[in-house]
Amino acid sequence: MQRASPAPAGLTGLAETAFIPLVARALAAERFPDAGFRDPTAEAIYGALQLDLTAYVGGNASMHGVIARSWMLDQIVGVFTSRHPNAQIVDLGAGL
């Protein structure tokens, strides 16, 4: 399948940086199986996008950082929402 560059989709600059954590989360289980981190939603989004996101596959250290921050944020949000089930969570680009 031929994938397009993100730029023709109208995503450039800051909006384009959202692909960095998406790609890291989507590829975490494949690239770092011993890390115990998997994000099925990111994997599904990554697989469904008709975009070439290979430019956003960072080095191991960068990807480990994204995965570690993602795991930590997932834990914090999970604890908070278990205590406050009607809470609404807004992520304003934390970690960029």
Side-chain angles (χ1 to χ4, degrees), residues 29-46:
E30 174 186 321
R31 289 204 46 193
F32 311 108
D34 294 337
F37 181 88
R38 182 167 206 154
D39 185 338
T41 302
E43 292 171 11
I45 293 169
Y46 180 81

Side-chain angles (χ1 to χ4, degrees), residues 23-71:
V23 170
R25 291 179 72 108
L27 299 180
E30 174 186 321
R31 289 204 46 193
F32 311 108
D34 294 337
F37 181 88
R38 182 167 206 154
D39 185 338
T41 302
E43 292 171 11
I45 293 169
Y46 180 81
L49 289 175
Q50 298 298 310
L51 301 173
D52 178 8
L53 300 177
T54 55
Y56 304 99
V57 177
N60 284 349
S62 175
M63 290 186 74
H64 274 288
V66 169
I67 294 164
R69 285 188 300 277
S70 295
W71 180 85

Side-chain angles (χ1 to χ4, degrees), residues 11-12 17 20 22 30 34 45 57 62 65 85 87 89 95:
L11 298 172
T12 59
T17 65
I20 296 168
L22 171 69
E30 174 186 321
D34 294 337
I45 293 169
V57 177
S62 175
I89 307 298

